[in-house]
Amino acid sequence: MKLNTRSSFTLMWDAVVECDKKYDGKFFYAVKTTGIFCRPSCKSKNPNYENICFFENAKDAIEQGFRPCKRCQPELSIVTYNPQQEIVDESINYLKQHYQEIITLNSLAFKIGVSPSYLSRVFKEKLGITPHKYLEIIRIHKAHQLLLNTVYNSTEICFQVGYKNFSSFYRHFKKISGCSPSQYRIKNGKRI
Ligand SMILES: [Zn+2]
C-alpha cells in the first residue's frame, strides 16, 4: 500500500474511522500525541486528523518510537522468519513421532532436507545437545511413562522405545534417570 499520496491518506483515514478490518495488515496508524500505534480495525478512540500518521508495517512504527496498543496488539503482526528454529522444530517433531524406529543423524538430516553436519551444528547451537542425545531423552522419557503406566518389564520397554539392545537402553536410562528401570518403578510408587 502506497502511503505517501493524498488519496491513500484519505483512504486510510476512512479505514481508521470505520475500524475497517479488511485493512488490517495492510497498514498501521500511529497517534503522535499518545505515542501509540494500532491496527486499522482497533476500536480505540479515533485520533484527531492532524495527529495521525501511517506506517506500512509494525516494525517501522516501533523504530519511529511508537508503542504498540495493548488492545489491538499490532506488534504481533511482526513475523520473524527463523530457519534454524524451524529445522530444530521439524527435527523434534520427527523424532517424537519416529523414536521407535532406527534413526541416524544421516537419515534425520535427509528427512529434514539439510546436511548432517549442519543439522548437528544447528541443534547444538539451539539446544546444547546433539539430535541423537535428544532422541535418547525422548526414548527414556517414554520408558518412564511405560514403567509407571504399564506392566511391561524393562526388556519389553527397551524394545518398545526403540532400543535394539538392552545394555544400551540400561546405560542411557541410568544416565538420564539416575537409577535403573526397576528402581525407577519402585521409587515412583509402582510395585509389580
Ligand atoms: Zn489499538
Side-chain angles (χ1 to χ4, degrees), residues 109-123:
F110 181 77
K111 290 281 176 205
I112 306 301
V114 296
S115 77
S117 59
Y118 184 69
L119 178 62
S120 191
R121 187 155 54 83
V122 168
F123 229 85

Side-chain angles (χ1 to χ4, degrees), residues 11-44:
L11 193 76
M12 290 188 287
W13 170 255
D14 287 347
V16 169
V17 172
E18 285 159 22
C19 306
D20 195 338
K21 235 184 151 23
K22 74 171 181 288
Y23 287 95
D24 278 3
K26 299 212 168 83
F27 73 89
F28 297 85
Y29 73 93
V31 184
K32 290 169 199 161
T33 43
T34 60
I36 289 171
F37 75 101
C38 284
R39 300 172 192 265
S41 69
C42 188
K43 295 279 192 291
S44 59

